[in-house]
């Protein structure tokens, strides 16, 4: 992080423009585009066109038409920008190539990074994948010689890597999830004229509303999930289906008034810090506070270079260059240490490295404080002592031994319906059709999805795995016509996800 990847992009794009060609730059988040656009426009001397879902249909149509006519020489956008026409294509850049938001999870499923590689080959242009924390699939391809592999081993200019400290909070009192040690570190950083980022990857006020007398908790009526508390306890919202309702005045089960928000979200941390540090601005950056157009740009502009505190989710963990940020406080990383998802450690390592990389990006030294109940966890020790590449080497060895990607290829056949039985019946028939192909696959299921009911629909899935991609594709090519014709296929909504990022 902070090694100058954007500078490399700028030089490559300038060379592309000098050859009279178009350049396409993909970024993972809408929030990253304003800062990047400003920098590109200042350096490249040509109009830079943006396209993402935060723009109106008319704005996106104008960018598409300009690209089609060859007038748009530099296009910056999120994953859908990969479909922009490029009659004079010269370069495709995928920034933060590891980011999961490049995968389209519904509708037409695709991974923009992988599509960039396919399209780059078809157009005969180079594709530049950039990341301080590359995905294990990309590292494996680079190590196998399928990709060229270039490394920036140190930070740009005078910037130094931040000092990382682990705060053991076992048996320590916590106030809105923050320890006294973290509060003291925040005060010291502010007194020194610096800015602070408090990172918590859970928006809302608290994850659960609980009755202290009988144990009732607010569950979503449409999902197998708790409803998140918002607006300091006044509103409940499901983050999976969007269902909202006011918080009840008393417990629906026992009529007790002892309803208590349990756990911590960004809103609760914001309230605490605003009360403790009233002399500096405390700004919350998450999906709830940045819905409006240019909201993130305005929030960061409001903070400027003066001392202040940013409270945010993973929106703040990548791409942003905050030169006066001297302290990053990471609250609550323990959830990712013990997840059933085989990608959980990779995602957590990437998130920690990325959020830590926001500190000390200019001449001022940076510090990172990781707060955890598991200070001796081997993942933390590996990241602190050896960095991301040491972690990746160990994780790749584990994946190879377990037969997980990138050493195997996966597909996920999902089905859902209003009742529980039709998805399972359909997947049983689909499994039989796959067996009839005569191609050996590992087929797991039918089994309930990790969240068996979502938005009122019962969900089940079939996980397919093969050591060679041609075997997986061959079996699906033969089986899909029969699966389409199954009588049970008309009773469910089903989809096929190649190379699934989340096995939800």
């Amino acid at each position: 992080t902070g090694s100058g990847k954007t500078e490399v992009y700028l030089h490559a794009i300038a060379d592309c423009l000098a050859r009279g060609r178009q350049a396409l730059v993909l970024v993972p988040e809408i929030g990253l585009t304003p800062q990047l656009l400003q920098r590109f426009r200042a350096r490249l001397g040509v109009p830079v066109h943006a396209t993402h879902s935060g723009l109106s249909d008319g704005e996106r149509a104008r960018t598409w038409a300009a690209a089609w006519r060859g007038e748009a020489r530099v296009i910056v956008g999120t994953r859908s920008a990969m479909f922009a026409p490029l009659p004079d294509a010269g370069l495709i850049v995928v920034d933060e190539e590891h980011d999961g938001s490049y995968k389209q999870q519904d509708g037409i499923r695709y991974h923009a990074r992988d599509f960039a590689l396919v399209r780059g080959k078809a157009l005969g242009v180079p594709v530049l994948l950039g990341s301080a924390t590359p995905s294990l699939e990309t590292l494996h391809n680079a190590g196998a010689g399928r990709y060229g592999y270039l490394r920036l081993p140190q930070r740009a200019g005078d910037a130094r890597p931040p000092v990382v400290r682990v705060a053991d909070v076992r048996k320590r009192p916590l106030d809105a999830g923050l320890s006294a040690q973290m509060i003291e570190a925040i005060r010291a950083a502010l007194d020194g004229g610096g800015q602070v980022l408090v990172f918590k990857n859970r928006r809302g006020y608290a994850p659960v509303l609980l009755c202290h007398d009988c144990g009732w908790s607010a569950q979503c009526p449409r999902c197998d999930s708790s409803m998140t508390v918002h607006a300091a306890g006044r509103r409940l919202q499901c983050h999976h289906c969007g269902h909202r309702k006011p918080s009840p005045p008393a417990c629906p089960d026992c009529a007790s008034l002892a309803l208590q928000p349990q756990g911590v979200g960004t809103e609760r941390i914001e309230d605490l810090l605003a009360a403790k540090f009233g002399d500096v601005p405390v700004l919350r950056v998450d999906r709830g506070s940045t819905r409006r157009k240019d909201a993130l740009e305005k929030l960061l502009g409001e903070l400027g270079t003066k001392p202040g505190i940013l409270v945010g989710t993973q929106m703040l963990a990548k791409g942003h260059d905050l030169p006066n940020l001297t302290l990053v406080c990471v609250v609550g990383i323990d959830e990712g240490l013990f997840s059933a998802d085989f990608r959980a450690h990779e995602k957590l390592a990437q998130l920690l490295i990325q959020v830590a990389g926001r500190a000390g990006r200019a001449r001022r030294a940076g510090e990172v404080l990781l707060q955890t109940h598991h200070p001796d966890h081997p993942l933390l020790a590996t990241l602190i002592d050896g960095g991301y590449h040491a972690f990746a080497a160990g994780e790749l060895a584990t994946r190879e031994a377990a037969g997980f990607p990138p050493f195997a290829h996966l597909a996920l056949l999902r089905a859902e319906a209003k009742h529980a039985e039709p998805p399972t019946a359909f997947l049983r028939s689909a499994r039989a059709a796959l067996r009839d192909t005569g191609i050996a696959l590992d087929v797991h299921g039918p089994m309930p999805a990790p969240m068996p009911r979502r938005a009122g629909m019962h969900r089940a899935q079939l996980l397919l795995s093969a050591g060679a991609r041609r075997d997986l594709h061959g079996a699906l090519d033969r089986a899909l016509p029969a699966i389409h014709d199954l009588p049970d296929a008309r009773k469910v909504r089903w989809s096929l996800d190649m190379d699934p990022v989340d096995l939800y």
Side-chain angles (χ1 to χ4, degrees), residues 411-432:
L412 197 61
L413 189 62
R414 298 183 174 98
E416 61 182 25
K418 291 185 177 180
H419 302 286
E421 179 54 32
T424 303
F426 164 72
L427 292 175
R428 284 197 203 101
S429 301
R431 178 171 182 154

Side-chain angles (χ1 to χ4, degrees), residues 42 73 83 86 105 153 184 233 244 302 314 321 331 337 350 359 382 427 452 468 489 495:
R73 310 310 290 174
F83 294 96
L86 299 170
Q105 299 281 21
E184 292 171 6
R244 296 185 180 194
E302 181 182 338
Q314 61 181 349
D321 195 0
V331 183
L337 295 175
Q350 290 167 342
T382 301
L427 292 175
S495 63

Side-chain angles (χ1 to χ4, degrees), residues 469-491:
R469 184 174 289 279
R470 63 178 175 272
D471 291 339
L472 184 59
H473 282 192
L476 288 168
D477 283 344
R478 294 184 190 180
L480 278 175
I483 292 174
H484 274 283
D485 292 338
L486 289 172
D488 289 326
R490 292 186 287 274
K491 301 176 184 177

Side-chain angles (χ1 to χ4, degrees), residues 186-206:
I186 292 172
R187 172 50 68 192
L190 295 173
D191 290 344
Q195 295 173 343
V196 178
L197 167 60
V198 179
F199 174 79
K200 174 68 177 179
N201 202 23
R202 184 182 288 274
R203 62 190 176 98
Y205 188 80

Side-chain angles (χ1 to χ4, degrees), residues 265-286:
T266 50
E267 290 180 15
R268 195 169 192 172
I269 294 174
E270 178 192 22
D271 287 352
L272 172 77
L273 295 175
K276 286 187 175 292
F277 302 99
D279 54 331
V280 298
V282 178
L283 305 176
R284 175 169 54 88
V285 178
D286 57 24

Side-chain angles (χ1 to χ4, degrees), residues 28-36 52 78 296-297 300 315 320:
E29 294 278 358
I30 292 172
L32 297 182
T33 51
Q35 200 174 44
L36 199 67
H52 52 72
T78 49
L296 179 55
E297 194 175 11
L300 296 179
M315 289 181 67
H320 299 286

Side-chain angles (χ1 to χ4, degrees), residues 6 9-10 25-28 31-42 44 48 76-77 95 319-320:
T6 305
Y9 303 157
L10 284 164
V25 182
L26 297 188
V27 293
L32 297 182
T33 51
Q35 200 174 44
L36 199 67
L37 286 170
Q38 184 179 4
R39 190 167 173 184
F40 277 25
R41 285 165 178 157
L44 296 173
V48 178
V76 178
D95 189 26
H320 299 286

Side-chain angles (χ1 to χ4, degrees), residues 16-102:
C16 174
L17 294 174
R19 291 183 283 111
R21 297 289 182 176
Q22 292 173 293
L24 173 64
V25 182
L26 297 188
V27 293
E29 294 278 358
I30 292 172
L32 297 182
T33 51
Q35 200 174 44
L36 199 67
L37 286 170
Q38 184 179 4
R39 190 167 173 184
F40 277 25
R41 285 165 178 157
R43 287 283 299 276
L44 296 173
V46 298
V48 178
H49 294 71
T51 177
H52 52 72
S53 60
L55 300 176
S56 68
D57 289 347
E59 289 172 313
R60 282 185 288 172
R62 283 191 288 274
T63 296
W64 193 96
W68 178 69
R69 293 192 297 266
E71 296 169 2
R73 310 310 290 174
V74 180
I75 304 158
V76 178
T78 49
R79 62 179 178 238
S80 60
M82 197 59 248
F83 294 96
L86 299 170
D88 298 318
L91 174 69
I92 299 173
V93 177
V94 184
D95 189 26
E96 309 292 0
E97 64 82 27
H98 68 277
D99 200 279
S101 62
Y102 282 127

